[in-house]
Amino acid sequence: MSGSREPIGVIGTGYVGLVTAAGFAELGNDVRCIDIDEAKIEGLQQGRIPIWEPGLEDLVAHHRARMHFSTNIADALEHTRLLFVAVGTPPTYSGDADLSAVHAVVDAMPASDRHALVMKSTVPVGTGDSIKRAFAERGKGGFRYVSCPEFLKEGSAVKDFLEPDRVVVGDDGDWAGDAVVELYSPLDAPLVRTDIRSAEMVKLASNAFLATKISFINEIANVCEETGADVIEVARGMGLDDRIGPKFLQAGIGFGGSCFPKDVAALKQLAGNSGYHFQLLNSVIEVNELQKRRVMSKLQKYLGSLVGKEIALLGLAFKPNTDDMREASSLVLSARLQAAGANVRAYDPVAEHEARKLIRGVEFAGSAAEAIEGADAIVLVTEWPEFADLDFGDVATAMRGTLVVDGRNFLDREGVAAAGLSYEGIGRPAATRTPAPVAQFGGE
Ligand SMILES: NC(=O)c1ccc[n+]([C@@H]2O[C@H](COP(=O)([O-])OP(=O)(O)OC[C@H]3O[C@@H](n4cnc5c(N)ncnc54)[C@H](O)[C@@H]3O)[C@@H](O)[C@H]2O)c1
């Protein structure tokens, strides 16, 4: 692409920052990447990518000449006018977003009429206004502010950057908003240009809606279990209605990750702090917490007491194609299993390194086969593609028991049953019949 594209700064080189930086480098922008983590920056300078994200390593390697890594924010201030902020905003104990990293960045900004902060981090509605107020009070009123929330999904983040469903730009209608719109223009995505508060709310409301969809289908799954319906069939039938759509209707053992749990909690808190009780979100959160624990009752139904039982966990990351363990269902599950006296052996194709930092007392296996050996029960926690290839004849031979709990309704239910194993999905009866495909009536 042309060399005339505007150089930009990206502050924070985590999942969002590094993908944003590499994505803009792909579009032809020179990118100054800043992080306070010296080890991370040193690694990046030597070409080491700190996270597991498909396609990212190649993209960074390809655009090495356009990507500059430093711990010194002056480097970005000197070479760029637009500073994308992609620092973490983790939850506090109250559920409010912890904005200390955002404030550290704001505090580090000098008085300037030629710079703008472009907020990619997910922040409560009103954050932009309070940052603008802080700038004004400190004689830095010339500093511009743009809200540009990020919607990428870990596991497909590079593709999501390059092919976004939409770009949302919330600003005051000045040069900075125009410049951000211009930066994204090669992507040819639908643009929502709006005020800062609305842009901030688009992000929180989108994640809260998706989380609501998941908790809704999980509750339907639980009712399916009581009534003999199959949630897979139900979701298929619902999803063909284009007012509903098929996405985020996969029942399972709850949502996790670095965004949904914290953003739902943050929106609930934001509403509460503003005097509004967001009743629906309370239920979304509660259903999700209970859903993570449902595996326990399924195991106990077959095995009785779990004391001394060998349980194999397949997958630990909060979803496939990432090594992110933040708020993963496996954290709750492994702790509950151990509290109930079970011995837990776990395998994840890429998340073991991250998992070791957060999970205690679990034995880590180097392969699915190793995790399964001698197990009384298997629990599929993360639907990594490689688990679809398990040979259940071999699995049945290797196990001591016969129970397979499919926490993501991902495994071949009939294949499991044909190997003489007991299949327990989420919201599904045991394998007894082959459902008629919808396709015969005109198809999906
Ligand atoms: N991860 C996602 O899928 C995703 C998607 C959309 C939005 N978001 C939002 O984007 C933001 C970043 O998320 P993430 O997952 O990339 O976080 P992350 O924890 O992976 O990365 C944050 C980075 O910021 C750095 N940092 C912290 N304080 C800093 C400072 N003062 N100066 C420079 N660097 C600093 C950290 O060292 C870290 O490398 C969050 O607000 C998150 O909610 C995340």
Side-chain angles (χ1 to χ4, degrees):
M1 302 211 66
S2 92
S4 63
R5 291 200 30 100
E6 165 146 26
I8 60 160
V10 175
I11 305 173
T13 57
Y15 287 89
V16 169
L18 200 52
V19 170
T20 302
F24 277 120
E26 169 77 2
L27 296 182
N29 300 88
D30 230 52
V31 189
R32 302 273 156 179
C33 305
I34 310 294
D35 206 292
I36 45 169
D37 185 334
E38 287 181 15
K40 199 178 260 191
I41 289 296
E42 225 178 273
L44 284 163
Q45 284 166 341
Q46 289 160 18
R48 281 198 307 276
I49 306 298
I51 52 174
W52 197 90
E53 182 62 47
L56 184 59
E57 192 164 4
D58 287 349
L59 201 60
V60 173
H62 189 66
H63 295 300
R64 201 55 204 84
R66 286 196 195 124
M67 298 181 73
H68 315 272
F69 299 99
S70 170
T71 52
N72 186 0
I73 206 144
D75 187 50
L77 283 162
E78 184 190 336
H79 294 97
T80 72
R81 352 177 254 173
L82 297 171
L83 299 150
F84 282 74
V85 181
V87 299
T89 49
T92 58
Y93 283 113
S94 65
D96 288 298
D98 175 356
L99 295 180
S100 52
V102 169
H103 289 142
V105 172
V106 171
D107 293 346
M109 294 300 118
S112 168
D113 290 332
R114 86 169 183 97
H115 288 98
L117 282 186
V118 185
M119 191 57 65
K120 285 253 135 224
S121 297
T122 304
V123 294
V125 179
T127 302
D129 283 346
S130 69
I131 289 174
K132 287 195 307 180
R133 209 164 40 243
F135 276 144
E137 284 165 8
R138 297 172 201 171
K140 303 177 186 174
F143 226 101
R144 299 289 99 199
Y145 185 90
V146 179
S147 167
C148 183
E150 182 53 59
F151 301 95
L152 62 76
K153 302 177 286 299
E154 288 176 20
S156 58
V158 170
K159 181 174 181 295
D160 293 341
F161 177 91
L162 294 169
E163 298 167 29
D165 291 338
R166 76 296 210 188
V167 171
V168 176
V169 177
D171 71 305
D172 293 323
D174 51 36
W175 68 264
D178 293 344
V180 174
V181 169
E182 177 60 28
L183 274 181
Y184 278 98
S185 61
L187 298 179
D188 216 14
L191 171 71
V192 179
R193 188 160 183 186
T194 182
D195 61 281
I196 293 170
R197 283 177 184 257
S198 300
E200 291 166 340
M201 184 59 105
V202 170
K203 174 64 192 176
L204 293 177
S206 298
N207 274 0
F209 185 78
L210 293 171
T212 303
K213 229 177 153 185
I214 296 172
S215 278
F216 180 84
I217 200 66
N218 281 339
E219 290 242 85
I220 293 292
N222 299 342
V223 180
C224 284
E225 287 183 9
E226 299 301 322
T227 55
D230 183 340
V231 74
I232 300 268
E233 299 301 293
V234 174
R236 193 150 61 126
M238 289 170 63
L240 288 167
D241 184 328
D242 68 6
R243 294 168 303 177
I244 298 173
K247 294 185 179 163
F248 283 76
L249 284 184
Q250 285 74 38
I253 51 173
F255 59 79
S258 65
C259 290
F260 283 4
K262 90 171 166 64
D263 292 351
V264 173
L267 180 52
K268 185 192 120 176
Q269 279 302 114
L270 174 72
N273 296 343
S274 321
Y276 182 75
H277 179 61
F278 205 142
Q279 203 160 331
L280 182 60
L281 288 188
N282 280 329
S283 300
V284 169
I285 294 165
E286 193 183 339
V287 168
N288 195 51
E289 286 310 311
L290 293 173
Q291 201 67 15
K292 292 181 194 168
R293 290 163 172 75
R294 275 184 82 80
V295 168
M296 296 299 290
S297 53
K298 287 179 185 293
L299 290 168
Q300 282 155 345
K301 186 171 97 183
Y302 284 81
L303 304 178
S305 163
L306 298 183
V307 175
K309 296 290 186 327
E310 303 288 333
I311 310 295
L313 298 186
L314 296 186
L316 294 168
F318 87 91
K319 67 174 184 179
N321 293 320
T322 182
D323 62 350
D324 199 339
M325 284 293 300
R326 290 177 281 187
E327 303 285 334
S329 296
S330 61
L331 300 175
V332 172
L333 191 55
S334 58
R336 294 297 314 134
L337 284 167
Q338 291 183 79
N343 302 319
V344 182
R345 201 180 306 150
Y347 165 68
D348 189 286
V350 304
E352 180 182 332
H353 181 71
E354 293 303 309
R356 281 182 182 276
K357 298 178 192 164
L358 298 170
I359 296 182
R360 297 274 168 272
V362 163
E363 190 185 331
F364 289 93
S367 66
E370 198 185 307
I372 286 165
E373 187 69 41
D376 292 297
I378 296 173
V379 181
L380 181 121
V381 181
T382 314
E383 63 276 38
W384 282 99
E386 70 172 65
F387 299 143
D389 298 332
L390 284 172
D391 179 324
F392 286 102
D394 293 348
V395 170
T397 311
M399 286 178 74
R400 183 165 76 183
T402 59
L403 177 60
V404 177
V405 179
D406 183 357
R408 301 291 175 190
N409 289 341
F410 177 69
L411 299 172
D412 170 15
R413 182 175 56 156
E414 282 73 25
V416 172
L421 298 168
S422 306
Y423 178 91
E424 266 284 322
I426 305 292
R428 316 187 68 190
T432 49
R433 69 188 175 89
T434 310
V438 168
Q440 75 186 63
F441 302 109
E444 276 172 292

